Amino acid sequence: MRNLYRKPTNLHCNAGSRCSISAVLWSVLGCLFLLHLYSNIDHKDGKVEEVQLRSSLHPQFRELQQAELLNIQIPSPKGKRSPRAAKRRPKRTTTLVDEFMDENSPLRHVFFPGNKSVVDPMKAAGNDSYYYYPGRVWLDTDGNPIQAHGGGILYDEKSRTYYWYGEYKDGPTYHAHKKGTARVDIIGVGCYSSKDLWTWKHEGIVLGAEEKNETHDLYKSDVLERPKVIYNDNTGKYVMWMHIDDANYTKAAVGVAISDTPYGPFNYLGSQRPHGYDSRDMTVFKDDDGVAYLIYSSENNSELHIGPLTEDYLNVTSVMRRVLIGQRREAPALFKHQGTYYMITSGCTGWAPNEALAHAAESIFGPWEAMGNPCVGGNKLFRLTTFFAQSTFVLPLPRFPGSFILMADRWNPADLRDSRYVWLPLIVAGPLDQPLQHSFEFSLWSKVSIYWHRKWRLPQGWSRFK
């Protein structure tokens, strides 16, 4: 605009001449252009913003964002301690993490409550609301504890049903060798179905262990973790990806299985090291355009790799990007909101809980920016340990843009079959309250918040069927 105003001066225009008219015309045209640009943006996002505004004013949404606080006192160090905890016990003040890792801690009931979440008192009283109790034992419709650890959820459009897949760990916990991590023999991938995301029917083991062939990837003494299932619209097949390893975690591969139905059985096709790299904690993500991606922790968990799958979802392509290099993040859980990709990750501390981070990117290939710890409520240590859980999946709530469920596992290394589920509301809304980690500037991306509740319910009208 500065050059446009210089031009009349060089032509020796006087006040009231064509110079002034030209300047006014150019100003009007500039304003019209900016107005047109704004109207296009507003037209594109107006409906979504309107829905978000209405949702945020819903009383139950306000309830979800009113995180609860906890006041937990660490008990005196007197009393019986487990032998393993005694060896680990540092020469410093005992923390809640120490208590969490000690199976004989008097605070055990805080982390692993005994009350079972199978019958909701409000439901029994005739109220249609279902409540989640993070950390409690969650039973299926047969009254058995749900075994779907480290997994994720597929919504099947055909049957209008949710399917929850995960590690079936209903076996004894042991150590493969003296310094080995706690483990359970492979039993298989459990599958549960639901119409309401609260009541779950056990559909059985949809991918079972191999009992006799010691060279098979699924031999019972090996490792099968973090199974995820996506549906291929072109082939009509349900495809499962999972972390495959040996007892010492040196194989570091991904496995693939396929089925004609969401409830199996799944046919195991084999394993590989994707793109020639080691792969441990992993997930898959299906984008809006139908392209699916494999995301996995690699280079000894020092970075994440992201690459698209082939059209049939049965293999990786040659394309791969390295992200979060040197940051040692695992347990990736991806989701998308208004064209922006988000991801929740954890640190690498074995079974011990640690601080989650939220990340965002305009492209799934990055660059990914760290947005800080998304946890809200509890107490400081609860927030620094992701409420003593580890991310596994983020499930969008239909009809409510910006509202999701964080699915996380509260691992119990003393008895892995008794590991619990921590499902909490995750909401994408509002400006960031701290600069991005690398650019030290505030982004236009919305803030990711995970709210702690000892008891919470989904908003009325959340179902995609209503």
Side-chain angles (χ1 to χ4, degrees):
M1 293 298 293
R2 191 175 301 164
N3 290 334
L4 294 176
Y5 282 99
R6 284 177 180 168
K7 186 175 181 180
T9 304
N10 294 333
L11 293 175
H12 304 288
C13 293
N14 298 321
S17 68
R18 288 176 299 175
C19 168
S20 300
I21 297 174
S22 176
V24 171
L25 288 175
W26 279 110
S27 298
V28 171
L29 288 174
C31 292
L32 289 174
F33 174 77
L34 292 175
L35 181 63
H36 175 71
L37 182 62
Y38 175 81
S39 65
N40 283 342
I41 296 174
D42 185 62
H43 177 73
K44 179 181 178 181
D45 298 334
K47 292 185 178 179
V48 174
E49 290 175 356
E50 184 180 354
V51 172
Q52 277 192 300
L53 180 60
R54 289 201 303 266
S55 299
S56 65
L57 295 177
H58 193 289
Q60 290 187 27
F61 275 91
R62 291 198 294 270
E63 290 178 12
L64 297 183
Q65 298 179 69
Q66 293 173 355
E68 298 177 56
L69 300 178
L70 292 172
N71 183 19
I72 301 173
Q73 300 295 327
I74 297 177
S76 169
K78 297 178 182 179
K80 183 180 178 181
R81 298 279 173 169
S82 67
R84 287 198 300 274
K87 291 180 180 180
R88 289 195 303 264
R89 191 174 176 186
K91 296 179 179 180
R92 57 175 173 78
T93 304
T94 302
T95 67
L96 278 179
V97 174
D98 300 323
E99 296 296 331
F100 176 83
M101 296 297 290
D102 181 6
E103 54 264 43
N104 292 320
S105 168
L107 290 180
R108 198 70 175 166
H109 68 284
V110 173
F111 306 115
F112 300 98
N115 295 332
K116 295 177 172 57
S117 295
V118 61
V119 177
D120 187 291
M122 295 295 290
K123 183 67 175 178
N127 190 308
D128 289 332
S129 299
Y130 295 98
Y131 281 89
Y132 294 96
Y133 301 86
R136 287 192 186 180
V137 176
W138 199 346
L139 305 183
D140 62 23
T141 53
D142 294 325
N144 299 313
I146 293 175
Q147 292 288 337
H149 309 284
I153 288 181
L154 166 77
Y155 176 72
D156 183 50
E157 295 281 355
K158 296 179 181 178
S159 59
R160 306 178 80 180
T161 302
Y162 293 92
Y163 289 90
W164 181 6
Y165 306 89
E167 306 159 36
Y168 202 90
K169 289 186 175 295
D170 194 22
T173 299
Y174 69 94
H175 295 259
H177 48 83
K178 188 175 181 179
K179 294 184 178 180
T181 183
R183 55 166 286 108
V184 169
D185 276 346
I186 294 178
I187 297 174
V189 177
C191 175
Y192 297 82
S193 63
S194 176
K195 296 288 188 178
D196 56 20
L197 287 178
W198 192 87
T199 305
W200 294 93
K201 175 187 175 183
H202 187 211
E203 298 288 350
I205 305 294
V206 295
L207 179 66
E210 169 58 43
E211 295 288 336
K212 298 180 179 180
N213 184 0
E214 297 184 9
T215 65
H216 197 282
D217 284 342
L218 303 183
Y219 183 62
K220 59 184 179 180
S221 65
D222 288 333
V223 172
L224 186 167
E225 295 177 340
R226 299 195 169 268
K228 305 292 189 298
V229 176
I230 49 178
Y231 177 70
N232 191 298
D233 299 282
N234 296 321
T235 64
K237 303 291 185 180
Y238 298 84
V239 182
M240 179 188 297
W241 284 76
M242 70 212 83
H243 170 207
I244 294 294
D245 228 315
D246 54 28
N248 296 319
Y249 284 85
T250 60
K251 186 179 181 68
V254 290
V256 184
I258 192 171
S259 174
D260 292 328
T261 67
Y263 45 83
F266 280 78
N267 178 34
Y268 187 72
L269 302 180
S271 66
Q272 62 172 299
R273 279 195 162 191
H275 311 106
Y277 290 90
D278 59 299
S279 171
R280 290 183 172 83
D281 275 12
M282 48 67 61
T283 192
V284 288
F285 174 76
K286 182 178 177 180
D287 211 340
D288 302 331
D289 58 3
V291 178
Y293 298 83
L294 174 68
I295 303 94
Y296 58 96
S297 183
S298 190
E299 297 285 11
N300 293 316
N301 291 339
S302 66
E303 61 191 42
L304 293 181
H305 293 178
I306 299 178
L309 301 179
T310 54
E311 290 187 4
D312 57 11
Y313 298 173
L314 300 182
N315 210 330
V316 295
T317 68
S318 60
V319 178
M320 185 271 286
R321 295 291 184 273
R322 303 164 65 201
V323 302
L324 307 187
I325 298 172
Q327 297 185 40
R328 296 195 59 78
R329 308 303 296 177
E330 64 178 12
L334 269 75
F335 60 103
K336 191 176 183 181
H337 176 58
Q338 291 189 357
T340 298
Y341 297 88
Y342 295 93
M343 178 166 55
I344 306 295
T345 65
S346 82
C348 302
T349 55
W351 296 118
N354 58 67
E355 183 178 17
L357 287 179
H359 313 262
E362 294 300 323
S363 165
I364 195 169
F365 292 122
W368 287 85
E369 290 279 4
M371 304 168 68
N373 186 338
C375 297
V376 181
N379 60 31
K380 181 177 180 181
L381 195 53
F382 261 62
R383 293 190 293 273
L384 292 177
T385 56
T386 319
F387 310 117
F388 288 90
Q390 185 184 39
S391 55
T392 184
F393 195 77
V394 174
L395 177 68
L397 282 182
R399 296 170 55 88
F400 292 100
S403 300
F404 304 81
I405 296 177
L406 171 77
M407 297 171 55
D409 295 280
R410 182 172 288 175
W411 299 113
N412 183 355
D415 185 8
L416 287 170
R417 80 173 88 195
D418 189 38
S419 297
R420 308 294 178 84
Y421 309 104
V422 175
W423 287 22
L424 290 169
L426 182 154
I427 295 177
V428 182
L432 298 181
D433 53 11
Q434 61 183 1
L436 296 174
Q437 187 175 14
H438 296 100
S439 63
F440 302 104
E441 296 178 355
F442 286 92
S443 171
L444 295 179
W445 297 324
S446 296
K447 180 181 179 181
V448 176
S449 301
I450 302 167
Y451 296 91
W452 170 254
H453 294 270
R454 283 170 288 189
K455 170 185 173 181
W456 67 282
R457 58 180 176 173
L458 294 173
Q460 294 179 356
W462 69 268
S463 174
R464 79 169 67 222
F465 317 134
K466 295 183 179 180

